[in-house]
Amino acid sequence: MRTTVGIIGAGPAGLLLARLLHNAGIDSVVLESRDRAYVEHRQRAGILEQGTVDVLRAAGAGERMDREGLRHDGIELRFDRRRHRVDFPALTGGRSVMVYAQTEVCKDLIALQLEEGGPLLFEAEALAVEGADSDRPSIRFRHQGREDVLECDYVVGCDGFWGVARTAVPASLSRVFERTYPFGWLGILADVAPSHDELVYARHDRGFALLSMRSPSVSRLYLQVPADTDAGAWSDEEIWDELERRLETADDWALHRGPITQKSVTPMRSYVHEPMRHGRLFLAGDAAHIVPPTGAKGLNLAVGDVVTFARALVHEKETGWAELLDAYSETCLRRVWQAERFSYDMTTMLHRDPDATAFEGRLQLARLDRISSCRAAETDLAEGYTGFPIG
């Protein structure tokens, strides 16, 4: 097989890249190790930044998102039983975010790819990226019980932290920056209407809590727990009771309870791999960087990566100049590190570190009080949450 761009991974980044390239008249092949049903149902992110929303619309993949997604113009911060709303449009010149699950983004992009785009091969396991530093890189993969080779002009690894793309960058050239947090998130899906019409981020002495949603009838909620927690060890009643404690306010707000349909524990980690390019191999999304979910940045960073790559390749195609491709890693990493900084700030401001002192706890409250009383501090949070510029 031969193509211009070989894409490893059919998550939102790989699928969106294929769509962007198709719209620009550049051929690609997408290899995905899992089957279609798995890709369309794996639960991941649910918050789309303004820039991501705009990109999906421009790519022709925004119709169902605009019909079924939930536009949010702010978030609520809770601390010391107080409530403070951050108004995104008022602070950012009109920007907002969209609640629309990654599963739905993938369904939309898969349908478009199968109808209009190039080959999308499910259950096609990438085994290795070969010749990344040559003019003819290739992807060795297994599909339908036999090995094959996809020859490319460029390879883009959207295959996550455990994929083969990142391992094709020589260790002697790689630099890794990471932090593992001593806590995780116990997340639940519940068949109950959300208890608030926007996301609620709560700092509490017992630990962080987040009230989110997937639809007007399905709530998504999280509790900070020790990193080694077994989700099954928590009963439904214990989860609701703890959410009620951590989300409590001084007014008459009440938490809606309902049947819990899913429980899981999400680890918390910050990770950056530099560089994000080696020869004609380009890393995107979790293959290059991971953020704790507090800032809702993971999917959105991946979108920024593939938009940057697509723009650079179109520029090379139209002008013959490769300077934007050459600058890919540097360009992406500027945005990546701002998102890492934002996610770290949100995480350390809202979570209770098991080794923290009373002094550090009061600093958290001081930071939250500053945001709720200073427009400049509040604006910085709103700009970070709604998204840093792409490219």
Side-chain angles (χ1 to χ4, degrees):
M1 296 180 68
R2 170 108 187 111
T3 191
T4 301
V5 181
I7 302 170
I8 309 175
L15 292 166
L16 177 59
L17 176 57
R19 180 66 182 175
L20 296 173
L21 296 176
H22 169 77
N23 289 348
I26 299 172
D27 62 295
S28 69
V29 173
V30 183
L31 306 176
E32 168 56 47
S33 63
R34 302 283 192 163
D35 62 26
R36 180 177 179 177
Y38 180 90
V39 174
E40 291 187 338
H41 291 90
R42 55 185 167 194
Q43 292 291 331
R44 293 292 189 273
I47 305 295
L48 307 183
E49 295 173 353
Q50 182 70 65
T52 297
V53 170
D54 294 342
V55 166
L56 289 170
R57 287 172 178 158
E63 180 181 351
R64 193 164 70 94
M65 173 189 69
D66 284 329
R67 186 173 66 249
E68 299 179 10
L70 306 174
R71 171 180 163 146
H72 281 202
D73 287 335
I75 58 172
E76 183 172 288
L77 300 175
R78 292 190 184 178
F79 57 103
D80 268 359
R81 304 180 72 215
R82 296 162 52 190
R83 306 171 63 176
H84 176 75
R85 181 176 184 267
V86 179
D87 186 330
F88 293 155
L91 296 163
T92 65
R95 300 211 307 267
S96 62
V97 297
M98 183 80 76
V99 175
Y100 191 63
Q102 174 175 315
T103 51
E104 307 310 310
V105 174
C106 287
K107 289 175 186 176
D108 296 341
L109 290 169
I110 287 171
L112 286 169
Q113 184 72 8
L114 294 177
E115 180 180 351
E116 305 173 6
L120 166 54
L121 304 183
F122 290 104
E123 299 181 86
E125 180 187 5
L127 303 174
V129 177
E130 299 174 339
D133 55 354
S134 72
D135 292 337
R136 289 289 183 269
S138 62
I139 307 168
R140 186 160 48 84
F141 68 99
R142 183 184 295 111
H143 184 234
Q144 296 180 339
R146 67 182 182 88
E147 284 195 18
D148 204 343
V149 174
L150 176 62
E151 298 178 342
C152 322
D153 292 332
Y154 304 94
V155 175
V156 182
C158 305
D159 52 343
F161 179 80
W162 299 108
V164 301
R166 182 176 54 83
T167 62
V169 181
S172 60
L173 302 178
S174 299
R175 289 173 295 167
V176 169
F177 306 86
E178 60 185 325
R179 172 170 181 176
T180 300
Y181 298 86
F183 42 75
W185 280 7
L186 170 61
I188 64 167
L189 280 175
D191 286 337
V192 61
S195 304
H196 193 62
D197 55 1
E198 293 177 334
L199 272 70
V200 176
Y201 289 78
R203 184 269 176 200
H204 194 277
D205 287 342
R206 296 176 63 91
F208 169 77
L210 170 62
L211 186 159
S212 182
M213 66 281 296
R214 283 293 179 263
S215 74
S217 61
V218 177
S219 292
R220 182 73 160 152
L221 301 106
Y222 299 92
L223 285 170
Q224 177 190 340
V225 293
D228 59 354
T229 294
D230 174 10
W234 284 69
S235 71
D236 292 6
E237 185 177 4
E238 287 173 330
I239 291 172
W240 287 118
D241 287 348
E242 191 62 25
L243 284 165
E244 200 163 69
R245 290 187 195 99
R246 298 188 193 183
L247 290 164
E248 67 178 349
T249 63
D251 57 17
D252 59 356
W253 178 87
L255 177 67
H256 302 157
R257 300 188 180 206
I260 294 176
T261 60
Q262 184 183 108
K263 300 176 190 176
S264 61
V265 173
T266 301
M268 305 284 280
R269 186 182 181 205
S270 298
Y271 175 90
V272 179
H273 179 282
E274 296 185 4
M276 290 177 58
R277 176 196 179 182
H278 172 58
R280 290 182 173 238
L281 167 64
F282 297 77
L283 304 181
D286 286 0
H289 43 72
I290 296 170
V291 290
T294 324
K297 289 283 164 278
L299 182 155
N300 297 289
L301 273 183
V303 167
D305 294 342
V306 298
V307 168
T308 300
F309 175 81
R311 287 176 180 171
L313 190 57
V314 169
H315 177 76
E316 193 271 343
K317 177 185 177 184
E318 293 178 346
T319 68
W321 292 91
E323 66 266 26
L324 296 185
L325 285 171
D326 292 340
Y328 170 81
S329 183
E330 180 183 354
T331 301
C332 289
L333 284 169
R334 282 197 297 269
R335 188 169 188 265
V336 166
W337 277 112
Q338 285 302 317
E340 292 282 355
R341 186 270 308 168
F342 176 79
S343 299
Y344 174 83
D345 286 350
M346 288 282 285
T347 300
T348 56
M349 178 174 68
L350 294 166
H351 291 74
R352 182 182 179 277
D353 190 309
D355 296 323
T357 64
F359 176 82
E360 290 163 317
R362 292 302 294 268
L363 286 180
Q364 288 181 313
L365 294 174
R367 291 164 69 187
L368 287 160
D369 190 61
R370 177 69 173 171
I371 290 168
S372 65
S373 61
C374 172
R375 186 176 179 87
E378 188 179 25
T379 298
D380 184 63
L381 186 151
E383 289 179 344
Y385 199 97
T386 56
F388 301 102
I390 298 175

